[in-house]
Amino acid sequence: MIPYGKQDITQADIDAVMEALTSDLITQGARVPEFEATIAKYCDAEYAVAVNSATSALHIACLALGVTEKDIVWTSPNSFVASANCALYCGAEVDFVDIDSTTGNMCIQTLSNKLEQAAKHNRLPKVIIPVHFAGQSCDMAAISGLAKQYNIAIIEDASHAIGGRYQNTKIGSCKYSDITVFSFHPVKIVTTAEGGMALTNKPELHQKLMLLRSHGVTRDESIMAASNPAPWVYEQVTLGFNYRMTELQAALGLSQISRIDEYVTRRNHIAARYMTAFNQADIDCLTVSEDCYSAYHLFVIKVPQHCHELIFKQLRQAGIGVNLHYIPIHTQPYFTRLGFTTGMFPNAETHAAQAISLPLYPKLTTEQQDIVIKEVINAVQTCN
Ligand SMILES: *Cc1c(COP(=O)(O)O)cnc(C)c1O
């Protein structure tokens, strides 16, 4: 089976992890801060806080921004459930903003209209979480403009998008947001097995994220109650978690991140080849805006709805590990129990009824890609 995504582990990665594993500190050592500094520098952000998953990063990002049970958080229905669950962890209410069908990203006009309505009913969200679907940035200038107008915070869920750019900013620079979150799950652009990161330019958010990641405990005298504390004193100043990343993961991440541009270039090259082949065959692909450089976590085609399942099954039978990104979050049983129903976010639903994610990862060979292209065109023509 040719999978839809796959990590690339080199001998250098193995050596880096082995070195970390046999060093004195296998957690809470120097590699995590080094990994954080490397990512912050790469993304042009001030601060980065490494955690054990993007899910954890989203959770503490919401908490750092003060999300409570009195609040509402909006995100995209075309995402992994973690984009919405972070709000529920804080006891907040979650709602969704439908997508633009051509990109799969949050639709700006829909957001604008929904904000206008919410303002009228005193139901504005505290935080909006745009998701950079497939690796392409949302229109962050527009989202940030609207958020400023209504005094709403922004967390970018950039789990798909490290290595990408929006206009002339790096994804992760937080130019248009309070916090940006990355995932280092193996199917993503770079991996630490499990892992994530929250980036910010705001020192007060950085401090909160650091506390929340590690039990709410600090040895920083500037935020401790005790003056002149004894050398053994640490203080718990808030309720935090153990969301720490290990030294082994940071070692892997540091080794991986040295190849990020190579990875994203290769992903763009593969995507361009798909695009050329499918344009000729009249198969729909998502569009990437002129002002975006996608990190291309995913390559998504759209097929006629009545052929969707047939084509999907045929490709799987042909040994191609296609996938669906995403089953709309609001249609998941847990969310329908919260009151969401099918029909609420029709563009995300139609997207899910047509979308197929094709294999896309740095080590996908040209020969493998040609097989995928041939099988896709064959399956689409068989159905039509
Ligand atoms: C993968 C992913 C997450 C969760 O990442 P983990 O690191 O597995 O917790 C969240 N949001 C999106 C959009 C993702 O793709």
Side-chain angles (χ1 to χ4, degrees):
M1 187 77 89
I2 305 173
Y4 85 90
K6 193 182 175 205
Q7 71 275 18
D8 173 44
I9 301 296
T10 65
Q11 188 59 47
D13 292 345
I14 295 165
D15 294 345
V17 174
M18 282 302 286
E19 198 184 313
L21 181 59
T22 51
S23 65
D24 288 341
L25 298 174
I26 59 177
T27 189
Q28 295 177 285
R31 285 176 180 84
V32 166
E34 188 188 343
F35 185 39
E36 291 170 336
T38 305
I39 299 258
K41 179 151 184 277
Y42 177 79
C43 295
D44 301 320
E46 287 295 321
Y47 307 102
V49 178
V51 286
N52 57 4
S53 71
T55 304
S56 303
L58 287 164
H59 182 196
I60 62 173
C62 284
L63 289 173
L65 289 165
V67 173
T68 70
E69 55 285 346
K70 296 188 189 73
D71 296 310
I72 306 170
V73 173
W74 290 0
T75 188
S76 169
N78 182 36
S79 186
F80 186 55
V81 292
S83 306
N85 286 342
C86 55
L88 303 178
Y89 298 155
C90 303
E93 197 180 314
V94 73
D95 200 0
F96 302 94
V97 181
D98 207 357
I99 58 167
D100 175 328
S101 309
T102 63
T103 62
N105 278 337
M106 188 176 278
C107 174
I108 303 304
Q109 192 55 53
T110 306
L111 175 63
S112 171
N113 296 345
K114 195 173 170 106
L115 284 167
E116 205 177 302
Q117 286 305 312
K120 275 188 198 142
H121 298 100
N122 209 11
R123 297 263 301 151
L124 282 168
K126 178 159 198 139
V127 176
I128 300 173
I129 308 180
V131 179
H132 302 323
F133 182 70
Q136 169 172 214
S137 178
C138 295
D139 184 352
M140 290 310 300
I143 293 173
S144 150
L146 287 165
K148 284 211 169 78
Q149 193 182 323
Y150 293 98
N151 195 25
I152 299 165
I154 300 177
I155 301 169
E156 293 174 69
D157 184 344
S159 292
H160 298 184
I162 191 171
R165 291 192 296 271
Y166 168 70
Q167 296 178 350
N168 31 28
T169 63
K170 285 272 185 67
I171 303 290
S173 75
C174 298
K175 177 160 184 215
Y176 299 102
S177 64
D178 296 277
I179 297 171
T180 302
V181 166
F182 293 136
S183 170
F184 304 126
H185 183 278
V187 295
K188 307 290 164 70
I189 310 290
V190 289
T191 191
T192 60
E194 295 284 358
M197 200 166 279
L199 291 85
T200 185
N201 292 329
K202 300 186 172 167
E204 68 280 11
L205 288 177
H206 174 239
Q207 187 179 81
K208 286 182 178 156
L209 292 166
M210 293 288 281
L211 281 172
L212 288 163
R213 158 178 81 177
S214 196
H215 308 281
V217 159
T218 186
R219 288 179 191 276
D220 178 353
E221 277 185 48
S222 70
I223 49 177
M224 286 165 71
S227 53
N228 261 330
W232 56 81
V233 171
Y234 59 85
E235 284 185 3
Q236 183 181 347
V237 296
T238 187
L239 184 62
F241 306 86
N242 181 351
Y243 282 169
R244 291 189 303 262
M245 175 180 277
T246 68
E247 289 290 290
L248 314 189
Q249 292 168 299
L252 179 54
L254 274 165
S255 182
Q256 288 259 317
I257 200 77
S258 68
R259 300 192 300 278
I260 187 166
D261 289 336
E262 192 184 305
Y263 282 162
V264 174
T265 303
R266 174 79 188 135
R267 284 175 175 276
N268 270 270
H269 177 78
I270 294 168
R273 275 191 96 237
Y274 272 142
M275 205 87 89
T276 304
F278 296 142
N279 279 344
Q280 281 167 6
D282 247 346
I283 294 168
D284 259 4
C285 307
L286 292 181
T287 57
V288 173
S289 152
E290 282 285 310
D291 59 0
C292 287
Y293 177 64
S294 177
Y296 269 114
H297 165 52
L298 301 172
F299 193 88
V300 176
I301 58 165
K302 294 207 272 183
V303 300
Q305 209 160 313
H306 68 278
C307 300
H308 189 236
E309 190 171 344
L310 206 75
I311 292 171
F312 198 98
K313 280 184 180 157
Q314 197 175 320
L315 290 170
R316 280 269 175 99
Q317 264 158 21
I320 298 163
V322 289
N323 229 306
L324 173 58
H325 297 92
Y326 283 97
I327 299 165
I329 299 175
H330 69 284
T331 66
Q332 294 287 354
Y334 185 80
F335 286 84
T336 62
R337 271 186 263 133
L338 296 177
F340 293 100
T341 55
T342 300
M344 280 181 162
F345 306 99
N347 291 352
E349 292 165 28
T350 302
H351 170 91
Q354 301 178 331
I356 299 179
S357 301
L358 302 180
L360 174 56
Y361 50 91
K363 281 279 144 45
L364 182 74
T365 66
T366 303
E367 294 69 33
Q368 286 174 317
Q369 189 183 14
D370 286 340
I371 293 169
V372 175
I373 291 169
K374 192 186 87 202
E375 292 292 348
V376 167
I377 291 173
N378 179 31
V380 169
Q381 281 170 354
T382 309
C383 181
N384 278 347

